[in-house]
Amino acid sequence: MRNEITNRFIESYNNLVETGQVSDKKAFAQTIGISTSMMTEISKGRSNVGISAIQNIVKHFSISAEWLLTGAGNMFHTHSSPLLKDDQTTVTIGKHSDKNNGIPLIPIDAMAGMLSGDDHTVMEYECEYYVIPVFKGAEFLIQVKGDSMRPQYYSGDIVACKRLPLDTFFQWNRTYVIDSEQGVLIKKVEKGSDDAHITLVSENKEYRPFEIAKEKIYSLALVIGVVRAE
């Protein structure tokens, strides 16, 4: 008989499948470090989920550890409900703040440094800071330039971002900020022709999708929502 933690684990897995954040059971099992057969055993109630799998689903999919272990709070860290494939949470920028409490709005010239964690580079710029409670997981804000992501994002929109490790498991059809040999790009990510590549897709159909080698990616961040200036 499966326990309550396992029940919530399966609930979160089903949610990730429904919202397109994982493609199938095999890919999900590989990401959280268990076999496909073990995932089947868990989903059918014949086995309970282990600590390692719990740690990995929290790490790779922003599932709340508190919710998973106790049932308290929300399933996802930054939203009361998960983002769907093509949805974004849009809010008005909150009040200004000092850097101890707020999220920095990073100038475009400093984006690569912020993505790579080079705080010295970012400190060279005078950043504005904002308190945006709905985006507690966001580490920085950047402004969208150009029209390649219209109509999802317009030039002048601001996206809230969370840095990710380079060995992250990409969530297909989610939007990322990617620092690469082609510069800093805001694109939707889809599966590439092989495991060594990903495909970068613009919302504006006038811009053709293109592949990039994972080894050419220097740093990246997940876009967790959109904010608009007052």
Side-chain angles (χ1 to χ4, degrees):
M1 180 177 180
R2 66 191 189 194
N3 57 34
E4 290 301 314
I5 294 175
T6 300
N7 286 337
R8 286 188 288 272
F9 176 85
I10 295 302
E11 181 182 349
S12 60
Y13 163 71
N14 289 336
N15 193 289
L16 291 168
V17 172
E18 291 171 2
T19 58
Q21 297 183 55
V22 296
S23 56
D24 54 37
K25 188 180 295 182
K26 180 179 179 180
F28 176 73
Q30 183 178 10
T31 302
I32 63 170
I34 63 175
S35 65
T36 305
S37 60
M38 175 56 73
M39 184 60 200
T40 299
E41 292 296 298
I42 294 171
S43 63
K44 290 186 176 182
R46 295 197 289 257
S47 181
N48 285 315
V49 65
I51 294 297
S52 178
I54 291 173
Q55 291 174 333
N56 284 329
I57 194 175
V58 169
K59 174 183 177 182
H60 292 289
F61 297 104
S62 295
I63 301 295
S64 166
E66 181 183 11
W67 174 83
L68 198 57
L69 296 173
T70 70
N74 300 314
M75 181 185 297
F76 285 78
H77 285 303
T78 57
H79 300 279
S80 57
S81 59
L83 293 176
L84 296 177
K85 287 183 184 179
D86 300 316
D87 288 349
Q88 292 288 347
T89 298
T90 304
V91 299
T92 300
I93 284 186
K95 63 181 181 180
H96 280 80
S97 173
D98 59 49
K99 64 182 180 180
N100 293 322
N101 297 314
I103 306 171
L105 175 59
I106 305 298
I108 190 168
D109 293 336
M111 284 195 296
M114 185 65 194
L115 282 171
S116 64
D118 186 353
D119 294 332
H120 177 73
T121 299
V122 177
M123 286 173 61
E124 295 177 359
Y125 296 82
E126 290 293 331
C127 299
E128 293 183 320
Y129 288 77
Y130 295 90
V131 173
I132 310 174
V134 72
F135 294 136
K136 289 182 180 179
E139 298 177 58
F140 64 96
L141 310 168
I142 60 172
Q143 192 168 45
V144 175
K145 301 293 184 182
D147 64 351
S148 68
M149 291 300 287
R150 294 177 62 183
Q152 186 170 6
Y153 310 113
Y154 290 84
S155 185
D157 282 355
I158 294 169
V159 291
C161 306
K162 179 180 180 179
R163 284 182 292 191
L164 297 174
L166 284 175
D167 61 351
T168 191
F169 173 80
F170 282 101
Q171 301 175 40
W172 307 132
N173 296 315
R174 295 290 298 275
T175 304
Y176 291 81
V177 179
I178 297 174
D179 180 24
S180 71
E181 63 178 6
Q182 299 189 37
V184 177
L185 307 169
I186 302 176
K187 298 292 180 184
K188 187 169 287 187
V189 172
E190 294 182 359
K191 187 177 295 186
S193 57
D194 56 41
D195 291 340
H197 293 78
I198 58 172
T199 301
L200 301 184
V201 180
S202 300
E203 289 291 333
N204 188 335
K205 301 307 179 185
E206 294 182 5
Y207 294 79
R208 295 177 62 85
F210 61 94
E211 280 198 338
I212 186 171
K214 291 180 181 178
E215 65 177 12
K216 301 296 185 181
I217 298 174
Y218 308 139
S219 50
L220 72 157
L222 177 67
V223 174
I224 62 175
V226 187
V227 293
R228 303 190 191 282
E230 294 178 326

